Amino acid sequence: MNAIYTCPMHPEIRQIGPGSCPKCGMALEPLIAGDEDDTEYREMKKRFVWAAVFSVPLMFIAMANLLRSTGVQGYVELLLALPVCLWAALPFYQRAIDSIRMKSLNMFTLIGLGVSVAFGYSLIAVLFPSIFPDSFRSADGHVAVYFEAAAVIVTLILLGQVLELRARSQTGAAIKKLLGLVPATARLVAEDGRESDVPLESVKAGDKLRVRPGEKIPVDGIVLEGQSSIDESMITGEPIPVEKAVGDKIVGATVNQTGSFVMRAEKVGAATLLSQIIHMVAEAQRSKAPIQKMADIVASYFVPAVILISILTFIIWAMFGPEPRFAYAIINAVAVLIIACPCALGLATPISIMVSTGRGAHMGVLFKNAESVELMRKVTTLVIDKTGTLTEGKPKLMSVVAISKLSEQEIIYFAASIEKASEHPLAAAIVEGAVDRDIKLGDVEDFKSLTGKGVQGQIDGKQVAFGNKAMMVQVGVDIAEHASGSGMFVAVDSKLVGLIGVADPIKASAKMAIKALHQENIKIVMLTGDSKITAQAVASELEIDEVIAEVLPDQKGEAVARLQKAGEVIAMAGDGINDAPALAKADVGIAMGTGTDIAIESAGVTLVKGDLNGIVKARKLSRATMANIKQNLFFAFVYNSLGVPVAAGVLYPFFGFLLSPMLAAAAMSLSSVSVISNALRLRKSSLA
C-alpha cells in the first residue's frame, strides 16, 4: 500500500501507509478517499476482542471477591491482567512515549499514565504487600489492587477506538461513492471501425470510445456521433437527465441512459472532472477552519492542566481523604487522567469539515478549503460577473423583426448565409439560429467584411448588407424610421428588410437563485465589463441591487476591495480569466465549473454545474456545518468541564459518590464516538 496518510487534526503530518499521528496519537487517514487500508481497524479490533476475553472474568472475580479467602486472588487477577495491560495496551504506551518525545502531550499521554499507575501500583501490591503502610490498607489489612480497573480501562478504550475508526471511515462516503462509479473498462473504437473492451488505464486523449445504453461514461470527452440522455446526478446533484448531442461535452463516471454514441476522449486519468473533484475535496478535508484555532489553543494547555489536576487530586485525597487514604488518592487520580481525554475536542472541527465537504461534492459544490466553509455563511454581499455567470456566455439569435414583405425565415436566411463567411463572434450565433430553425443557407459571392460595421455580399443574385447603423449609411440604406431600434440591420438590394437581435440569454436558473439569495439577506452586485445599458437590462430583469459596469479586469479586484472597506463580507462569483483577480481578492471566491481553469484555481468554492443555485446550497451547507461544529465543541467543553471535577471527587463530601476509572474510560470513549456520530448527521441533515 503506497497511499499517503495524514492526520485530520495535524495535516502537516504525512507518511506512506496507515499509522498514528506522533503529535496527537490519532489514527492517520488517507489523503484521497478510497485509498483506505483497514489495518489499523483490524488490529484494534483484534486487541479489543482478546482484551475483553481476559477482562470479563477478571472483573467478575474482582467484584465477586471469589478467591479472597484463599489468598490467591491477587495472583489470578495479575495473570488475567497481564495480556491486557502489556499486549493489548501496547499501542497506547507507544503513542504516550511518542507524545513525550515530540513534546506534544495528548490523550494517549493521559491514558498511558493512568493505566501504568493503576497496573504498576497493583503489581507491587501483589508482589510486595509488606512495603505498604497502614494508610494503603483496608480494615481487614489487605492492600487493594486495581487490576480489573486497568484492564477494563484498556478494553473500553480499545472499544472506543474500534467504534471511532469505523465511524470515521464513513466521513468520506460521498467520495467513495463517486470512486465506485468509475468503470473498469472502456469500449475502444479502432481506426478500421472494430470495437474492443480495454482497461480504463490504457485510454488516451484522442481515442474514440463507444458508450452503450446503461453504461458509465469512462472519461471526460465530446460526443462525436449519436445522441442520448445522461444521468449527471453523481456530479451535479441534479436528478433530471441531460440531453447530449454531437459536439456536447460529457463527464466521466456519469451514466448513459437511452442512446448509443461515440465520443472522443479529451481528459483521462487525473485530468478528469471526477479526479479533480476528489482532489479538491481531499484538500478541503485536510485544511483547518479558523474556528479550529480556538480548539487547538485550548487542547495545547489542556493535557498539562489535567496532569496537574491529577497530581493535586492525589495530594488532597492522600492528606484529607478517608482510610485507606492512599488507595483513594491513587484511584481518583487515575480517574481524572482517564476521563479528561481531549480527543473529542480535537475531533470537533475536522470531522464536521470532512463530512460537509463530502456532502458538498455530492451536491455539485466543491469547497477548496475549510475556511471557505466557515466564511460562506457570513457573506453579506455577493458580487456576480454577468457573462457566463448570470448569462449563458454564448450569444443566441433572440429576435427577428420583419420590415418588408419578406418573412422572418427569409430575413434569417440572408443574414445567416452572409454571416457564415464571417469570423465575428456574433456570426456563429446567427448561423446556429438558422440551423435550429432548419433554414438551409445559400452561397455568398463578393464577400466583404468592414471592421466595426458589418458584412456584405451577393446571395442568389441579390446584394445583401448586414450590420450596424454605420454599415447602413455606408451602403446607402435609409433607416431613418428605424434608427432608434435595437439590433442589427438587414438590407437587400439597398432596402431595409428587417432587424435581427442577438443577445446572451440569461440562465434559466438565475432568477430563482437571485430570489433565494435575497431571502438570505444577501445584497447582489453585478460587476461586468459590458456596457451600462446591457448590464442594466439584465439587472432589471433579475432584480439585482447594484450594477458596476464597464470595468476592466484589474478594476474588478479594486471594486471588491472598495466593498470590503465598507464592512461587507464579499463572495465573488465568476467564470473567466478576467474574474480571477476579483475571485482571489474576495473573502470567498466562487467559480463556475463551466469556466476557465484559472478562475477555478483562484476560487475557494467551485460550482460544478455552473448554476447559481449552488451558491444557495453552499451557504446553507456552511450554516449547517458551523452549527454542527459548535455543537461538537460545546459538548467537548461541557464534558471535560464536568467530567474532571467529578472524577477528582468533588461530589464525595456531599453525596458519597466517586467515579470509578472504569466508568471514566467508558465515558471518555463514548465522547469521541458521540462527536463523530453528530458530525455524520450532516450527510442527511436538511438544508432548507
Side-chain angles (χ1 to χ4, degrees), residues 238-253:
E238 296 297 329
I240 301 174
V242 181
E243 297 296 324
K244 299 289 184 179
V246 174
D248 288 340
K249 292 183 178 181
I250 48 179
V251 178

Side-chain angles (χ1 to χ4, degrees), residues 386-617:
K386 181 179 74 68
T387 306
T389 306
L390 289 170
T391 64
E392 298 285 354
K394 185 179 180 182
K396 288 186 178 181
L397 176 57
M398 301 295 289
S399 63
V400 181
V401 178
I403 295 173
S404 67
K405 294 180 180 180
L406 295 182
S407 65
E408 291 185 5
Q409 295 283 95
E410 290 172 313
I411 293 170
I412 295 173
Y413 166 78
F414 284 118
S417 296
I418 198 167
E419 281 285 24
K420 73 177 182 180
S422 172
E423 297 180 353
H424 193 277
L426 298 182
I430 296 170
V431 173
E432 185 178 333
V435 172
D436 290 342
R437 292 166 174 78
D438 295 324
I439 298 174
K440 188 175 181 181
L441 304 184
D443 296 324
V444 183
E445 298 178 357
D446 299 328
F447 175 81
K448 293 180 183 178
S449 177
L450 304 178
T451 303
K453 296 180 180 179
V455 294
Q456 65 181 109
Q458 275 196 348
I459 301 173
D460 300 339
K462 299 180 183 294
Q463 192 67 33
V464 178
F466 181 53
N468 57 22
K469 295 175 184 178
M471 182 69 183
M472 296 298 105
V473 171
Q474 179 156 334
V475 296
V477 175
D478 182 13
I479 60 169
E481 294 182 18
H482 305 281
S484 60
S486 61
M488 292 176 288
F489 299 91
V490 183
V492 178
D493 289 338
S494 299
K495 290 185 179 181
L496 184 65
V497 297
L499 281 79
I500 285 183
V502 176
D504 185 4
I506 294 172
K507 288 183 178 180
S509 60
K511 183 171 287 189
M512 182 170 59
I514 296 296
K515 182 179 180 181
L517 289 165
H518 275 145
Q519 290 173 347
E520 291 275 329
N521 296 318
I522 294 178
K523 178 183 177 182
I524 311 296
V525 177
M526 182 196 293
L527 185 64
T528 179
D530 213 337
S531 69
K532 291 181 180 179
I533 295 175
T534 303
Q536 194 60 56
V538 173
S540 297
E541 185 172 345
L542 294 176
E543 298 182 358
I544 289 174
D545 302 304
E546 183 180 342
V547 176
I548 304 174
E550 298 177 358
V551 292
L552 298 174
D554 59 332
Q555 295 173 327
K556 287 190 173 184
E558 294 173 3
V560 169
R562 286 196 302 272
L563 290 168
Q564 288 173 322
K565 286 181 181 178
E568 302 288 341
V569 179
I570 305 297
M572 167 70 192
D575 73 328
I577 293 174
N578 62 327
D579 298 318
L583 289 170
K585 182 67 177 175
D587 297 287
V588 182
I590 303 172
M592 302 295 112
T594 51
T596 61
D597 290 342
I598 190 170
I600 293 172
E601 187 63 30
S602 302
V605 180
T606 298
L607 308 181
V608 175
K609 194 179 178 183
D611 184 349
L612 289 177
N613 281 304
I615 299 177
V616 183
K617 295 178 183 177

Side-chain angles (χ1 to χ4, degrees), residues 623-665:
R623 188 184 298 122
T625 302
M626 295 313 299
N628 191 271
I629 288 173
K630 288 177 180 178
Q631 291 164 6
N632 287 344
L633 288 172
F634 176 79
F635 173 79
F637 279 123
V638 169
Y639 166 81
N640 284 297
S641 298
L642 296 178
V644 171
V646 170
V650 296
L651 297 180
Y652 185 79
F654 309 102
F655 306 104
F657 175 78
L658 288 176
L659 184 68
S660 77
M662 290 184 287
L663 288 176

